[in-house]
Amino acid sequence: MIVLQNIHKAFGNLKVLKGINLEVTKGEVVCVIGPSGSGKSTLLRCINHLERITTGKILIDGEVMDERKDNHDLQKIHMKKVLSLCTEVGMVFQRFNLFPHMTALENVMEAPVQVRKTPKEQAALEARELLAKVGLSDKVDEYPSRLSGGQQQRVAIARALAMKPKVMLFDEPTSALDPELVGEVLEVMKSLANEHMTMIVVTHEMGFARDVAQRVIFMDEGIIIEESPPEEIFSNPKHERTKAFLSRVL
């Protein structure tokens, strides 16, 4: 579903990603862990085309989204195709980024109506179903200011799902939440995993990674240090840097 080949990303002289190779199969849940500043969020932003890669190749569901070398395009990919591929990838950020002047229902409806040109009645019906799916059927008419952080993040998940993506990216979706609200968001993510949604999750929630991921990737300083099933990486990490990181966070 996702193929990353030799991905490099630099901001000026700062090299953030240094040759990432990764394949994620359909229905797989991959959790990415590692210290702050290791390039995890930048990796997600490159997959979602929010950042252009410096060098490398990205494929989404077999289609090339980006192919570059030293900031120059090796393939000229029509923007219409890029935008189409971007709609296949939903993303949930640390901050909820809901439109404050729209209700929960309107927030979830907006992209299908504006981007996919879904009729409003159909979009509203589907939005209500998605809000029910994330446990917010009683909050459809509430504005973000009247929702808790956990509820806002669940609206953000419903909003991403409204575009019917093939892949969901989560960038530390619980890091901005009070501890007592973390569980309600993780439960929604677990239910998506149980439905075989393809997911890449950048997270500090090691329990979630242990319980839900098929594969855990440890990143540091812009490279993948180690990747393996969760029972291996948490019980018997191979690399000293992985061992040092886990000893601090577990």
Side-chain angles (χ1 to χ4, degrees), residues 18-37:
K18 306 169 186 175
I20 299 291
N21 291 288
L22 178 64
E23 293 188 12
V24 180
T25 59
K26 185 178 181 180
E28 187 177 18
V29 178
V30 174
C31 283
V32 185
I33 63 174
S36 297

Side-chain angles (χ1 to χ4, degrees), residues 70 76 95 108 133 153 169 191 193 210 218 236 248:
D70 299 329
K76 198 66 180 174
R95 297 288 173 180
V108 177
K133 181 187 182 81
Q153 192 63 297
L169 308 177
S191 71
R210 189 194 297 269
F218 173 65
N236 188 29
R248 291 195 301 270

Side-chain angles (χ1 to χ4, degrees), residues 105-119:
L105 184 71
E106 291 166 340
N107 265 281
V108 177
M109 287 175 56
E110 181 71 3
V113 170
Q114 297 298 331
V115 179
R116 292 199 183 274
K117 306 305 179 186
T118 305

Side-chain angles (χ1 to χ4, degrees), residues 3-212:
V3 177
L4 308 179
Q5 297 176 354
N6 191 34
I7 299 300
H8 292 255
K9 175 61 183 177
F11 296 95
N13 293 325
L14 178 63
K15 295 179 179 179
V16 179
L17 300 177
K18 306 169 186 175
I20 299 291
N21 291 288
L22 178 64
E23 293 188 12
V24 180
T25 59
K26 185 178 181 180
E28 187 177 18
V29 178
V30 174
C31 283
V32 185
I33 63 174
S36 297
S38 58
K40 307 183 301 295
S41 294
T42 299
L43 180 66
L44 292 191
R45 291 177 66 83
C46 287
I47 295 171
N48 205 28
H49 214 70
L50 294 172
E51 300 285 355
R52 294 295 305 277
I53 56 177
T54 303
T55 292
K57 187 175 183 179
I58 299 177
L59 296 94
I60 305 292
D61 199 17
E63 299 281 341
V64 177
M65 174 185 270
D66 213 358
E67 185 174 14
R68 309 185 89 203
K69 185 173 182 181
D70 299 329
N71 277 326
H72 292 86
D73 292 340
L74 295 180
Q75 283 195 53
K76 198 66 180 174
I77 302 165
H78 197 281
M79 185 52 66
K80 189 173 181 179
K81 180 180 178 183
V82 172
L83 292 173
S84 175
L85 289 172
C86 285
T87 64
E88 306 288 0
V89 182
M91 188 157 176
V92 178
F93 300 87
Q94 296 176 33
R95 297 288 173 180
F96 326 121
N97 299 325
L98 299 178
F99 295 114
H101 62 289
M102 293 183 179
T103 64
L105 184 71
E106 291 166 340
N107 265 281
V108 177
M109 287 175 56
E110 181 71 3
V113 170
Q114 297 298 331
V115 179
R116 292 199 183 274
K117 306 305 179 186
T118 305
K120 282 191 175 181
E121 285 187 10
Q122 180 184 340
L125 179 64
E126 292 175 356
R128 288 179 184 278
E129 290 173 352
L130 286 169
L131 287 167
K133 181 187 182 81
V134 299
L136 293 174
S137 56
D138 60 336
K139 302 292 183 182
V140 293
D141 295 321
E142 296 287 1
Y143 288 90
S145 62
R146 294 179 56 84
L147 299 174
S148 70
Q151 290 168 337
Q152 289 186 60
Q153 192 63 297
R154 284 187 279 155
V155 173
I157 293 172
R159 180 178 62 180
L161 291 171
M163 290 295 285
K164 301 181 174 65
K166 294 179 180 177
V167 178
M168 284 287 285
L169 308 177
F170 293 87
D171 186 9
E172 297 186 21
T174 59
S175 65
L177 300 179
D178 292 334
E180 67 269 21
L181 302 177
V182 168
E184 63 191 55
V185 173
L186 294 181
E187 282 303 314
V188 171
M189 293 168 65
K190 286 179 183 177
S191 71
L192 291 177
N194 290 336
E195 294 169 7
H196 307 293
M197 170 64 77
T198 308
M199 297 162 60
I200 303 179
V201 184
V202 170
T203 186
H204 292 300
E205 300 292 336
M206 297 301 148
F208 176 86
R210 189 194 297 269
D211 294 342
V212 179

